């Protein structure tokens, strides 16, 4: 059997919190807080829209979350500046370990980017970081009109990656994503980039926990040996 890999993008391969640097001119010392709240609300809004069956492009969630974060700090943006920040979101920088890890795994495992983001957004941000050519395909929730962690999204990922009854392993730094994948029957590696972060106690465990993507090749070998 072939193990296929599905990489989450935002927070796993590219860093949304890097927007704090650009927000300094708008939020000053509050930039890091605004960036963190922006990311938190982006994910929350997607959850809520999925539950409400009120799907909108992830970019809509991102823009609405930016407005909420700024308003929460009693700050505002011009329409032009808001558009600039949204455009910059399509060029988020990759984590330092993303490119070398994907290069190391290329040709060993079929690899797919699997994201709440739309195809144009994924092509832009992955292309910006030279990651796009390393993937065998992209999988967007836009095809399902829902968001992770909807079980339908993970079921679709099986079909879209060609996994079907073969193993599909999510790689994600988002604990909620890992829990969703495991609940849907996928394997899932949690990338615990910050050792102060804890995994929610839902009686659902990751298949493996790594401190960074550089540890992924060895973790995958261990998973395969355990399954043999």
């Amino acid at each position: 059997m072939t193990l296929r890999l599905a990489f989450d993008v935002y927070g796993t391969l590219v860093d949304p919190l890097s927007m704090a640097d650009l927000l300094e001119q708008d939020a000053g010392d509050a930039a890091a807080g605004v960036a963190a709240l922006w990311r938190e609300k982006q994910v929350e809004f997607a959850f809520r829209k999925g539950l409400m069956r009120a799907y909108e492009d992830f970019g809509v969630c991102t823009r609405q979350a930016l407005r909420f974060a700024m308003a929460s700090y009693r700050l505002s943006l011009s329409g032009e500046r808001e558009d600039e920040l949204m455009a910059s979101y399509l060029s988020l920088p990759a984590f330092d370990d993303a490119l070398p890890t994907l290069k190391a795994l290329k040709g060993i495992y079929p690899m797919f980017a699997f994201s709440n983001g739309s195809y144009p957004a994924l092509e832009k941000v992955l292309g910006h970081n030279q990651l796009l050519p390393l993937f065998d395909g992209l999988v967007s929730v836009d095809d399902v009109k829902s968001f992770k962690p909807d079980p339908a999204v993970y079921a679709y990922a099986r079909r879209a990656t060609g996994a079907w009854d073969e193993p599909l392993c999510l790689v994600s730094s988002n604990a909620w994503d890992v829990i969703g994948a495991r609940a849907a029957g996928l394997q899932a590696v949690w990338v615990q980039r910050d050792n102060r972060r804890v995994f929610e106690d839902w009686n659902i465990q990751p298949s493996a926990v790594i401190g960074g993507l550089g540890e992924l090749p060895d973790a995958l070998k261990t998973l395969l040996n355990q399954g043999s």
Side-chain angles (χ1 to χ4, degrees):
M1 291 196 299
T2 301
L3 175 64
R4 288 169 168 78
L5 304 180
F7 286 83
D8 172 65
V9 176
Y10 298 102
T12 302
L13 297 177
V14 302
D15 184 10
L17 298 186
S18 67
M19 291 300 295
D21 293 338
L22 293 179
L23 284 165
E24 285 184 358
Q25 74 176 73
D26 310 290
D29 292 341
V34 172
L37 184 58
W38 183 5
R39 170 61 174 165
E40 176 187 334
K41 287 295 176 177
Q42 175 199 46
V43 172
E44 179 190 325
F45 290 177
F47 287 171
R48 288 161 55 185
K49 289 176 189 289
L51 286 169
M52 292 165 60
R53 297 293 184 261
Y55 177 82
E56 293 183 278
D57 185 289
F58 196 52
V60 174
C61 301
T62 303
R63 187 180 291 270
Q64 292 172 341
L66 171 59
R67 291 173 178 170
F68 179 91
M70 292 294 290
S72 295
Y73 279 82
R74 304 296 186 265
L75 299 168
S76 62
L77 296 169
S78 68
E80 181 180 6
R81 179 58 177 160
E82 183 180 284
D83 288 344
E84 288 176 357
L85 290 169
M86 288 297 299
S88 295
Y89 211 88
L90 298 176
S91 301
L92 289 172
F95 289 103
D96 291 342
D97 54 7
L99 183 60
T101 299
L102 292 179
K103 283 184 174 180
L105 296 174
K106 180 67 175 176
I108 301 175
Y109 305 95
M111 299 191 299
F112 299 82
F114 171 39
S115 176
N116 278 340
S118 66
Y119 288 111
L122 294 179
E123 290 170 357
K124 180 73 172 179
V125 74
L126 294 173
H128 174 75
N129 291 288
Q130 291 78 54
L131 303 180
L132 187 61
L134 299 173
F135 287 107
D136 296 287
L138 306 180
V139 181
S140 170
V141 304
D142 196 49
D143 292 330
V144 185
K145 304 304 181 191
S146 187
F147 289 107
K148 302 176 187 180
D150 185 338
V153 171
Y154 300 103
Y156 175 71
R158 279 193 176 280
R159 301 192 300 273
T161 60
W164 299 101
D165 294 330
E166 292 188 334
L168 176 63
C169 182
L170 173 76
V171 180
S172 180
S173 66
N174 300 302
W176 54 265
D177 193 11
V178 170
I179 290 171
R182 294 291 286 152
L186 276 62
Q187 295 184 25
V189 175
W190 184 37
V191 187
Q192 186 188 17
R193 292 192 178 278
D194 183 346
N195 60 17
R196 294 170 297 181
R197 294 177 60 197
V198 297
F199 198 81
E200 292 96 338
D201 184 7
W202 284 33
N203 293 319
I204 298 175
Q205 297 300 319
S207 306
V209 179
I210 57 178
L213 290 175
E215 300 173 21
L216 183 59
D218 287 341
L220 293 173
K221 290 177 183 177
T222 299
L223 284 178
L224 286 171
N225 289 335
Q226 290 172 347
S228 61

